[in-house]
Amino acid sequence: MQVSTEQLFTAARTQNGYVDEGVGDGTLRRLYELLKWGPTAANSTPARFVFVRSPEAKARLLQCVSPGNVSKVTQAPVTVIVGMDLEFHEKLPKLFPHTDARAWYAGKDAAIREAAFRNSSLQGGYMIIAARALGLDCGPMSGFDAAKMDAAFWAGTAVKTNFICALGRGDPSKLMPRHPRLDFDEACRLA
Amino acid sequence: MQVSTEQLFTAARTQNGYVDEGVGDGTLRRLYELLKWGPTAANSTPARFVFVRSPEAKARLLQCVSPGNVSKVTQAPVTVIVGMDLEFHEKLPKLFPHTDARAWYAGKDAAIREAAFRNSSLQGGYMIIAARALGLDCGPMSGFDAAKMDAAFWAGTAVKTNFICALGRGDPSKLMPRHPRLDFDEACRLA
């Protein structure tokens, strides 16, 4: 499918409001079918996703988010909760079958947590770009009560919330002026 | 610029070997000019990048990486070190000027570390997709001695290494068979 770097990067904006237009199951499945191919350490793919759309689930989510994020979550047709599975290594015999990669992590809590956080965040980045490729606007947020989120959406699992991201068609009237970025020489060095 | 989701996601492969073809300054600058627009919390953009190309810097890098990554780093025309600046909040008065976002982080080491790790990893994801948009193949790696890396490349700064990523034109003869991914229902839930 043809897309443009303007759509993915240079012209894409973080949205604060959304128009009243739903996002179907098919679009969410296509989103996963793109993002799942992004690279992760030992193909561990530790990110887990809950796509919150129903009034019941949205009400539960609204109990967990910071006051500044209530109107965004209320308006967005979907808010995806990006989690990280702290038992991701149990799937490595399937995902990375040619060696015993499970043994690199099993029983090593700090290594598990670091790999789960890094790689689920990478996958969150792939998700944001893939959503834009499908014509969705994104509003990533990290303002929420993590313990409440984990209890409300990941009870009975080893998954912890990493961040959340509103998805939908943005309302351009709610956009803020664009913030500056660091220059190449402030952020990069050639060596 | 037109690109395709095949190039970015579904047909892109993590490379293990690279053909002997350099990557110019202009390409690295274009890479940053794309990735810098990806969203981060409070526009904090905590990722810092060292593009290792010179024989001297590559020799230093090779002292820090795991044995399994030596041949990849040796062959790749560029390996980028993605760091996270633990003083990123000092730039928030410039990057997020309409409120005192610096105060959300200053003196809060756990919050700084969490935000720096999450958001520099997101930026790492944007970098990988942006590199593919520019026709580069990627080989991300987290097998290295982090303390040695920090001493060798970030001395005198508050930047810590997050991960490294080889960039170049991949050698298809070195590709492994593609690993499977989790199905939608293994990784996702509609709520």
Side-chain angles (χ1 to χ4, degrees), chain B residues 69-91:
Chain B
N69 290 329
V70 166
S71 76
K72 300 176 207 174
V73 170
T74 301
Q75 275 189 42
V78 188
T79 299
V80 54
I81 303 168
V82 181
M84 49 183 155
D85 188 352
L86 299 182
E87 290 177 354
F88 71 84
H89 51 288
E90 299 299 342
K91 295 200 158 61

Side-chain angles (χ1 to χ4, degrees), chain B residues 96-109:
Chain B
F96 205 64
H98 59 292
T99 189
D100 183 12
R102 181 184 175 282
W104 305 345
Y105 298 103
K108 297 169 187 160
D109 285 354

Side-chain angles (χ1 to χ4, degrees), chain A residues 177-190:
Chain A
R178 198 167 202 184
H179 292 305
R181 296 299 193 272
L182 299 175
D183 295 333
F184 182 88
D185 294 329
E186 292 175 289
C188 304
R189 185 153 48 93
L190 302 173

Side-chain angles (χ1 to χ4, degrees), chain A residues 125-146:
Chain A
Y126 306 146
M127 182 195 74
I128 288 169
I129 305 298
R132 290 171 169 179
L134 295 175
L136 293 171
D137 289 303
C138 296
M141 297 168 266
S142 48
F144 51 77
D145 182 317

